[in-house]
PDB file of all heavy atoms in Angstrom:
ATOM      1  N   GLY A  18      14.908   3.092  -6.177  1.00 91.00           N
ATOM      2  CA  GLY A  18      13.542   3.582  -6.191  1.00 91.00           C
ATOM      3  C   GLY A  18      13.302   4.764  -5.276  1.00 91.00           C
ATOM      4  O   GLY A  18      12.158   5.141  -5.023  1.00 91.00           O
ATOM      5  N   GLN A  19      14.386   5.366  -4.774  1.00 93.00           N
ATOM      6  CA  GLN A  19      14.224   6.508  -3.872  1.00 93.00           C
ATOM      7  C   GLN A  19      13.742   7.747  -4.615  1.00 93.00           C
ATOM      8  O   GLN A  19      13.058   8.593  -4.051  1.00 93.00           O
ATOM      9  CB  GLN A  19      15.550   6.785  -3.161  1.00 93.00           C
ATOM     10  CG  GLN A  19      15.966   5.662  -2.220  1.00 93.00           C
ATOM     11  CD  GLN A  19      17.374   5.849  -1.674  1.00 93.00           C
ATOM     12  OE1 GLN A  19      18.153   6.677  -2.171  1.00 93.00           O
ATOM     13  NE2 GLN A  19      17.721   5.084  -0.652  1.00 93.00           N
ATOM     14  N   ILE A  20      14.110   7.866  -5.882  1.00 92.00           N
ATOM     15  CA  ILE A  20      13.574   8.929  -6.726  1.00 92.00           C
ATOM     16  C   ILE A  20      13.253   8.330  -8.096  1.00 92.00           C
ATOM     17  O   ILE A  20      13.835   7.318  -8.494  1.00 92.00           O
ATOM     18  CB  ILE A  20      14.545  10.133  -6.885  1.00 92.00           C
ATOM     19  CG1 ILE A  20      15.851   9.682  -7.551  1.00 92.00           C
ATOM     20  CG2 ILE A  20      14.817  10.800  -5.566  1.00 92.00           C
ATOM     21  CD1 ILE A  20      16.774  10.839  -7.893  1.00 92.00           C
ATOM     22  N   ALA A  21      12.322   8.949  -8.795  1.00 92.00           N
ATOM     23  CA  ALA A  21      11.932   8.471 -10.121  1.00 92.00           C
ATOM     24  C   ALA A  21      12.825   9.099 -11.181  1.00 92.00           C
ATOM     25  O   ALA A  21      13.325  10.220 -11.020  1.00 92.00           O
ATOM     26  CB  ALA A  21      10.474   8.816 -10.403  1.00 92.00           C
ATOM     27  N   ASN A  22      13.014   8.376 -12.278  1.00 94.00           N
ATOM     28  CA  ASN A  22      13.864   8.859 -13.365  1.00 94.00           C
ATOM     29  C   ASN A  22      13.067   9.783 -14.277  1.00 94.00           C
ATOM     30  O   ASN A  22      12.824   9.486 -15.454  1.00 94.00           O
ATOM     31  CB  ASN A  22      14.427   7.672 -14.136  1.00 94.00           C
ATOM     32  CG  ASN A  22      15.477   8.093 -15.153  1.00 94.00           C
ATOM     33  OD1 ASN A  22      15.968   9.226 -15.117  1.00 94.00           O
ATOM     34  ND2 ASN A  22      15.818   7.198 -16.054  1.00 94.00           N
ATOM     35  N   THR A  23      12.660  10.918 -13.753  1.00 92.00           N
ATOM     36  CA  THR A  23      11.867  11.870 -14.536  1.00 92.00           C
ATOM     37  C   THR A  23      12.702  12.577 -15.598  1.00 92.00           C
ATOM     38  O   THR A  23      12.155  13.060 -16.590  1.00 92.00           O
ATOM     39  CB  THR A  23      11.232  12.920 -13.610  1.00 92.00           C
ATOM     40  OG1 THR A  23      12.273  13.586 -12.870  1.00 92.00           O
ATOM     41  CG2 THR A  23      10.256  12.260 -12.628  1.00 92.00           C
ATOM     42  N   ASN A  24      14.030  12.629 -15.400  1.00 94.00           N
ATOM     43  CA  ASN A  24      14.882  13.281 -16.405  1.00 94.00           C
ATOM     44  C   ASN A  24      14.784  12.586 -17.759  1.00 94.00           C
ATOM     45  O   ASN A  24      14.671  13.241 -18.801  1.00 94.00           O
ATOM     46  CB  ASN A  24      16.337  13.282 -15.938  1.00 94.00           C
ATOM     47  CG  ASN A  24      16.604  14.324 -14.867  1.00 94.00           C
ATOM     48  OD1 ASN A  24      15.718  15.094 -14.524  1.00 94.00           O
ATOM     49  ND2 ASN A  24      17.807  14.334 -14.321  1.00 94.00           N
ATOM     50  N   ALA A  25      14.827  11.253 -17.751  1.00 95.00           N
ATOM     51  CA  ALA A  25      14.772  10.508 -19.008  1.00 95.00           C
ATOM     52  C   ALA A  25      13.439  10.716 -19.708  1.00 95.00           C
ATOM     53  O   ALA A  25      13.375  10.872 -20.932  1.00 95.00           O
ATOM     54  CB  ALA A  25      15.022   9.027 -18.745  1.00 95.00           C
ATOM     55  N   LYS A  26      12.363  10.723 -18.937  1.00 91.00           N
ATOM     56  CA  LYS A  26      11.032  10.939 -19.508  1.00 91.00           C
ATOM     57  C   LYS A  26      10.967  12.299 -20.200  1.00 91.00           C
ATOM     58  O   LYS A  26      10.520  12.411 -21.345  1.00 91.00           O
ATOM     59  CB  LYS A  26       9.972  10.840 -18.419  1.00 91.00           C
ATOM     60  CG  LYS A  26       8.541  11.151 -18.884  1.00 91.00           C
ATOM     61  CD  LYS A  26       7.565  11.034 -17.725  1.00 91.00           C
ATOM     62  CE  LYS A  26       6.122  11.290 -18.176  1.00 91.00           C
ATOM     63  NZ  LYS A  26       5.918  12.663 -18.667  1.00 91.00           N
ATOM     64  N   TRP A  27      11.418  13.324 -19.508  1.00 91.00           N
ATOM     65  CA  TRP A  27      11.356  14.678 -20.062  1.00 91.00           C
ATOM     66  C   TRP A  27      12.244  14.805 -21.290  1.00 91.00           C
ATOM     67  O   TRP A  27      11.831  15.374 -22.315  1.00 91.00           O
ATOM     68  CB  TRP A  27      11.780  15.689 -18.998  1.00 91.00           C
ATOM     69  CG  TRP A  27      11.656  17.111 -19.452  1.00 91.00           C
ATOM     70  CD1 TRP A  27      10.547  17.896 -19.433  1.00 91.00           C
ATOM     71  CD2 TRP A  27      12.711  17.924 -20.015  1.00 91.00           C
ATOM     72  NE1 TRP A  27      10.830  19.136 -19.942  1.00 91.00           N
ATOM     73  CE2 TRP A  27      12.138  19.188 -20.303  1.00 91.00           C
ATOM     74  CE3 TRP A  27      14.050  17.704 -20.289  1.00 91.00           C
ATOM     75  CZ2 TRP A  27      12.897  20.215 -20.857  1.00 91.00           C
ATOM     76  CZ3 TRP A  27      14.801  18.725 -20.848  1.00 91.00           C
ATOM     77  CH2 TRP A  27      14.224  19.972 -21.123  1.00 91.00           C
ATOM     78  N   LEU A  28      13.455  14.266 -21.218  1.00 94.00           N
ATOM     79  CA  LEU A  28      14.367  14.358 -22.359  1.00 94.00           C
ATOM     80  C   LEU A  28      13.788  13.663 -23.594  1.00 94.00           C
ATOM     81  O   LEU A  28      13.853  14.189 -24.707  1.00 94.00           O
ATOM     82  CB  LEU A  28      15.721  13.744 -21.995  1.00 94.00           C
ATOM     83  CG  LEU A  28      16.620  14.589 -21.091  1.00 94.00           C
ATOM     84  CD1 LEU A  28      17.765  13.748 -20.534  1.00 94.00           C
ATOM     85  CD2 LEU A  28      17.171  15.804 -21.833  1.00 94.00           C
ATOM     86  N   SER A  29      13.203  12.476 -23.394  1.00 90.00           N
ATOM     87  CA  SER A  29      12.623  11.747 -24.528  1.00 90.00           C
ATOM     88  C   SER A  29      11.490  12.531 -25.166  1.00 90.00           C
ATOM     89  O   SER A  29      11.363  12.586 -26.398  1.00 90.00           O
ATOM     90  CB  SER A  29      12.115  10.378 -24.072  1.00 90.00           C
ATOM     91  OG  SER A  29      13.184   9.509 -23.806  1.00 90.00           O
ATOM     92  N   GLU A  30      10.634  13.117 -24.331  1.00 84.00           N
ATOM     93  CA  GLU A  30       9.517  13.910 -24.855  1.00 84.00           C
ATOM     94  C   GLU A  30      10.024  15.081 -25.683  1.00 84.00           C
ATOM     95  O   GLU A  30       9.487  15.377 -26.759  1.00 84.00           O
ATOM     96  CB  GLU A  30       8.651  14.409 -23.699  1.00 84.00           C
ATOM     97  CG  GLU A  30       7.864  13.321 -23.000  1.00 84.00           C
ATOM     98  CD  GLU A  30       7.163  13.817 -21.748  1.00 84.00           C
ATOM     99  OE1 GLU A  30       7.535  14.903 -21.235  1.00 84.00           O
ATOM    100  OE2 GLU A  30       6.255  13.130 -21.267  1.00 84.00           O
ATOM    101  N   GLN A  31      11.050  15.753 -25.185  1.00 85.00           N
ATOM    102  CA  GLN A  31      11.577  16.907 -25.898  1.00 85.00           C
ATOM    103  C   GLN A  31      12.287  16.497 -27.181  1.00 85.00           C
ATOM    104  O   GLN A  31      12.134  17.147 -28.221  1.00 85.00           O
ATOM    105  CB  GLN A  31      12.544  17.684 -24.988  1.00 85.00           C
ATOM    106  CG  GLN A  31      11.928  18.206 -23.712  1.00 85.00           C
ATOM    107  CD  GLN A  31      10.739  19.111 -23.966  1.00 85.00           C
ATOM    108  OE1 GLN A  31      10.810  20.035 -24.770  1.00 85.00           O
ATOM    109  NE2 GLN A  31       9.631  18.845 -23.283  1.00 85.00           N
ATOM    110  N   LEU A  32      13.054  15.428 -27.139  1.00 87.00           N
ATOM    111  CA  LEU A  32      13.761  14.964 -28.332  1.00 87.00           C
ATOM    112  C   LEU A  32      12.795  14.583 -29.437  1.00 87.00           C
ATOM    113  O   LEU A  32      13.063  14.811 -30.626  1.00 87.00           O
ATOM    114  CB  LEU A  32      14.652  13.769 -27.965  1.00 87.00           C
ATOM    115  CG  LEU A  32      15.887  14.092 -27.117  1.00 87.00           C
ATOM    116  CD1 LEU A  32      16.471  12.822 -26.532  1.00 87.00           C
ATOM    117  CD2 LEU A  32      16.929  14.846 -27.925  1.00 87.00           C
ATOM    118  N   ALA A  33      11.663  13.985 -29.047  1.00 79.00           N
ATOM    119  CA  ALA A  33      10.676  13.572 -30.042  1.00 79.00           C
ATOM    120  C   ALA A  33      10.137  14.758 -30.836  1.00 79.00           C
ATOM    121  O   ALA A  33       9.826  14.638 -32.031  1.00 79.00           O
ATOM    122  CB  ALA A  33       9.527  12.831 -29.366  1.00 79.00           C
ATOM    123  N   VAL A  34      10.023  15.894 -30.175  1.00 73.00           N
ATOM    124  CA  VAL A  34       9.532  17.095 -30.858  1.00 73.00           C
ATOM    125  C   VAL A  34      10.454  17.469 -32.018  1.00 73.00           C
ATOM    126  O   VAL A  34      10.011  17.995 -33.041  1.00 73.00           O
ATOM    127  CB  VAL A  34       9.416  18.268 -29.864  1.00 73.00           C
ATOM    128  CG1 VAL A  34       9.091  19.569 -30.582  1.00 73.00           C
ATOM    129  CG2 VAL A  34       8.359  17.957 -28.816  1.00 73.00           C
ATOM    130  N   TYR A  35      11.738  17.167 -31.869  1.00 75.00           N
ATOM    131  CA  TYR A  35      12.706  17.504 -32.914  1.00 75.00           C
ATOM    132  C   TYR A  35      12.948  16.337 -33.870  1.00 75.00           C
ATOM    133  O   TYR A  35      13.857  16.385 -34.703  1.00 75.00           O
ATOM    134  CB  TYR A  35      14.031  17.923 -32.269  1.00 75.00           C
ATOM    135  CG  TYR A  35      13.894  19.141 -31.399  1.00 75.00           C
ATOM    136  CD1 TYR A  35      13.902  19.028 -30.008  1.00 75.00           C
ATOM    137  CD2 TYR A  35      13.731  20.409 -31.948  1.00 75.00           C
ATOM    138  CE1 TYR A  35      13.762  20.148 -29.194  1.00 75.00           C
ATOM    139  CE2 TYR A  35      13.590  21.533 -31.153  1.00 75.00           C
ATOM    140  CZ  TYR A  35      13.605  21.387 -29.773  1.00 75.00           C
ATOM    141  OH  TYR A  35      13.460  22.487 -28.975  1.00 75.00           O
ATOM    142  N   GLY A  36      12.148  15.278 -33.731  1.00 71.00           N
ATOM    143  CA  GLY A  36      12.280  14.147 -34.636  1.00 71.00           C
ATOM    144  C   GLY A  36      13.477  13.271 -34.353  1.00 71.00           C
ATOM    145  O   GLY A  36      13.979  12.572 -35.233  1.00 71.00           O
ATOM    146  N   ILE A  37      13.961  13.281 -33.112  1.00 83.00           N
ATOM    147  CA  ILE A  37      15.123  12.481 -32.729  1.00 83.00           C
ATOM    148  C   ILE A  37      14.645  11.251 -31.975  1.00 83.00           C
ATOM    149  O   ILE A  37      13.962  11.357 -30.952  1.00 83.00           O
ATOM    150  CB  ILE A  37      16.094  13.316 -31.865  1.00 83.00           C
ATOM    151  CG1 ILE A  37      16.621  14.509 -32.681  1.00 83.00           C
ATOM    152  CG2 ILE A  37      17.252  12.455 -31.369  1.00 83.00           C
ATOM    153  CD1 ILE A  37      17.421  15.506 -31.870  1.00 83.00           C
TER     154      ILE A  37
END
Side-chain angles (χ1 to χ4, degrees):
Q19 294 172 346
I20 61 173
N22 188 14
T23 57
N24 284 356
K26 176 180 182 296
W27 184 84
L28 284 166
S29 287
E30 290 172 343
Q31 300 303 311
L32 289 165
V34 172
Y35 299 105
I37 298 171

